[in-house]
Amino acid sequence: MVVLASEIGDAIEIESLSWKRYITGESQGTFNDMAVYIGLCDTDQLGMTFDDNYINGTRILVLSSSSYTTPSVGPNEWFSITFDTPFWYNGQDNLLIEVQWSSGLGSLYTWNWSGGSNRCVFGRYGSSTALVQSSSVPNLRLNGTLSLSNSTFARIKAAF
């Protein structure tokens, strides 16, 4: 997914991401060969060749796990994924977040909102199934340690 610079507003060292669980569906999932990459993007709409969406040289692996189990949370509660390596966001470019895994058990349903353009690309990792562009963006919170003001933009939250 792409998060617009205008929605974030400030530079921050991002240490984790949080999503808000939907009111139905499973509350926990285990994902094999999970990886989270973050980088910068100069467009506000994602193309179908995902790697081409990154500004060259900005894609950073922030989390790698052979088996990652998300914390179990109740409906409408936030769950977080803490990075192995924080990502310094410059406060100027759009932020590109990529989450991938090879297989897993369980599902996690999160609240979404309409980003107005193709701000997400979904697909099956390692599958020949075509990628799907979507304007549906998961409710997301960026968590960092800088002493900046808390802000809410659209339905994405930033906790600084």
Side-chain angles (χ1 to χ4, degrees), residues 10-25:
D10 294 312
I12 179 177
E13 185 168 74
I14 303 169
E15 297 172 340
S16 66
L17 298 175
S18 298
W19 287 277
K20 192 171 188 179
R21 183 180 162 222
Y22 191 62
I23 56 176
T24 61

Side-chain angles (χ1 to χ4, degrees), residues 63-96:
L63 174 72
S64 178
S65 178
S66 60
S67 179
Y68 188 90
T69 301
T70 60
S72 179
V73 298
N76 293 314
E77 292 181 4
W78 292 90
F79 65 93
S80 297
I81 295 178
T82 302
F83 300 156
D84 299 327
T85 304
F87 180 86
W88 175 253
Y89 170 69
N90 64 17
Q92 298 174 4
D93 296 293
N94 293 334
L95 187 67
L96 187 57

